[in-house]
């Protein structure tokens, strides 16, 4: 269970050398996925509309590996960009907060071609699918464990959680919808809600 609750904020910097970024970026009107592991896995730069990306991590529980879900991003559309030009290329496409929190570190630390994916929303879904994160109503308990997800090993490998799975062949929209439905069902069976919006972080100047 979480032990602390943090109020998110960000501080603009003169440069972002050697700094990590926030990816996927779940704040604002649409979830955004821009760089995580794309350089090491080129298949992640060739995903089409309707692709379902499940972000999470593996954890050993009671002697066995479980895969715990953080965020689901359903691809609505995308934009190619060159990392050092991230801020200039994306300025009219993303919130200003994204430019500081995510695009700044990309521009100052990477030298490769990447793809920005914009997530589908409940108001603008793809075949009925939209992006979400596991959530709980504000009046409920203050913390909850991430839900454990089970899908065929073709899609998840709990023992090697950092290796993307499911990139080997093209998926039909029917297959993707079936997988998305399964993720939704398992989150709800864990007693959780589908969070679809998070307020943009506050800007502070230190």
């Amino acid at each position: 269970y979480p032990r602390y609750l943090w109020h998110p904020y960000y501080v603009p910097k003169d440069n972002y050398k050697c700094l990590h970024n926030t990816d996927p970026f779940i704040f604002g009107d649409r979830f955004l996925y821009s760089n995580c592991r794309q350089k090491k896995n080129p298949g992640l730069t060739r995903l089409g509309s309707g692709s379902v990306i499940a972000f999470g991590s593996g954890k050993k529980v009671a002697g066995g590996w479980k895969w715990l879900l953080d965020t689901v991003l359903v691809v609505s559309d995308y934009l190619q960009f060159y990392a050092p030009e991230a801020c200039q290329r994306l300025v009219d496409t993303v919130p200003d907060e994204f430019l500081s929190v995510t695009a700044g570190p990309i521009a100052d630390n990477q030298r490769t071609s990447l793809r920005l994916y914009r997530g589908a929303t409940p108001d603008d879904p793809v075949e009925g699918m939209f992006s979400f994160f596991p959530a709980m109503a504000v009046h409920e308990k203050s913390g909850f464990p991430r839900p454990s997800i089970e899908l065929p090993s073709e899609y998840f490998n709990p023992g090697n959680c950092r290796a993307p799975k499911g990139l080997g062949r093209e998926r039909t929209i029917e297959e993707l919808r079936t997988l998305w439905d399964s993720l939704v069902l398992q989150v709800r069976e864990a007693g959780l809600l589908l969070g679809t919006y998070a307020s943009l972080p506050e800007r502070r100047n230190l």
Side-chain angles (χ1 to χ4, degrees):
Y1 285 84
R3 297 178 60 189
Y4 301 96
L5 179 64
W6 298 95
H7 178 75
Y9 70 90
Y10 74 101
V11 179
K13 302 183 183 303
D14 293 332
N15 72 77
Y16 296 86
K17 291 292 186 183
C18 301
L19 294 181
H20 291 289
N21 63 15
T22 297
D23 195 40
F25 185 90
I26 65 166
F27 305 98
D29 293 336
R30 289 182 184 270
F31 294 6
L32 302 168
Y33 162 49
S34 57
N35 67 102
C36 184
R37 302 197 70 78
Q38 288 188 22
K39 182 178 180 180
K40 292 185 177 181
N41 299 275
L44 292 174
T45 64
R46 296 192 290 266
L47 303 178
S49 176
S51 295
V52 179
I53 311 171
F55 296 90
S57 58
K59 184 175 182 180
K60 211 163 191 179
V61 178
W65 284 95
K66 296 288 187 180
W67 200 89
L68 307 180
L69 181 68
D70 290 325
T71 301
V72 173
L73 188 147
V74 177
V75 175
S76 174
D77 53 31
Y78 50 84
L79 177 69
Q80 300 290 144
F81 68 98
Y82 180 51
E85 302 168 355
C87 294
Q88 298 92 326
R89 181 78 169 95
L90 305 178
V91 65
D92 295 323
T93 307
V94 300
D96 290 343
E97 292 82 355
F98 179 90
L99 295 177
S100 283
V101 174
T102 302
I106 290 175
D108 285 350
N109 295 287
Q110 298 197 45
R111 296 290 182 271
T112 186
S113 180
L114 299 168
R115 179 177 282 192
L116 172 75
Y117 294 99
R118 302 196 322 144
T121 69
D123 293 332
D124 184 23
V126 176
E127 297 295 327
M129 301 182 294
F130 53 85
S131 307
F132 65 87
F133 50 81
M136 180 172 283
V138 68
H139 61 272
E140 299 288 346
K141 295 181 296 184
S142 60
F144 58 88
R146 291 176 297 161
S148 172
I149 297 298
E150 293 186 6
L151 286 179
S153 59
E154 179 182 2
Y155 307 106
F156 284 153
N157 181 0
N160 188 13
C161 60
R162 293 178 63 82
K165 296 279 285 183
L167 296 173
R169 64 177 175 82
E170 185 132 347
R171 314 283 165 174
T172 65
I173 198 66
E174 292 78 16
E175 180 182 3
L176 293 169
R177 178 60 196 254
T178 297
L179 294 169
W180 184 85
D181 285 342
S182 179
L183 293 170
V184 169
L185 178 62
Q186 292 182 67
V187 168
R188 287 178 169 158
E189 286 181 338
L192 301 174
L193 305 175
L194 306 183
T196 58
Y197 176 85
S199 299
L200 287 162
E202 170 192 357
R203 172 177 172 149
R204 295 184 185 178
N205 294 308
L206 300 183

